[in-house]
Amino acid sequence: MATYTMVDRSTCIACGACNPNAPDLFEYTEDGLSYALLDGNEGITEVPEDLIEDLEDAIESCPTDSIKMSDTPFNCQRVEAS
């Protein structure tokens, strides 16, 4: 099954918990807010199968539930990402 991810940056508190768990999936802006690396936080690029476990670890570590995961691209269910 396809998996997509993005960060709801309106709820991200820049805690830095996601990148250590999924360094190939998440990075930080100059302000410290997280974003999905795969597609600039658009949530439209499928997460590679070998990174799903890292994604799940990052989701568990996020204290604000800002990391979103879906089996459909987020362009169909847009979350504030700017």
Side-chain angles (χ1 to χ4, degrees):
M1 174 176 17
T3 301
Y4 302 87
T5 191
M6 68 178 301
V7 177
D8 180 348
R9 292 172 58 196
S10 70
T11 59
C12 178
I13 60 171
C15 71
C18 57
N19 178 269
N21 288 295
D24 294 324
L25 292 175
F26 300 102
E27 190 54 75
Y28 308 110
T29 66
E30 290 178 13
D31 298 337
L33 298 177
S34 180
Y35 67 93
L37 280 170
L38 295 175
D39 54 18
N41 209 50
E42 292 295 315
I44 57 175
T45 300
E46 190 173 335
V47 175
E49 180 119 359
D50 62 327
L51 296 178
I52 300 296
E53 189 173 318
D54 290 351
L55 172 59
E56 291 170 345
D57 289 345
I59 289 170
E60 286 181 27
S61 73
C62 182
T64 58
D65 296 324
S66 296
I67 301 172
K68 305 302 179 187
M69 182 172 74
S70 176
D71 59 358
T72 58
F74 283 91
N75 60 345
C76 299
Q77 53 188 3
R78 196 71 181 155
V79 174
E80 179 62 40
S82 54

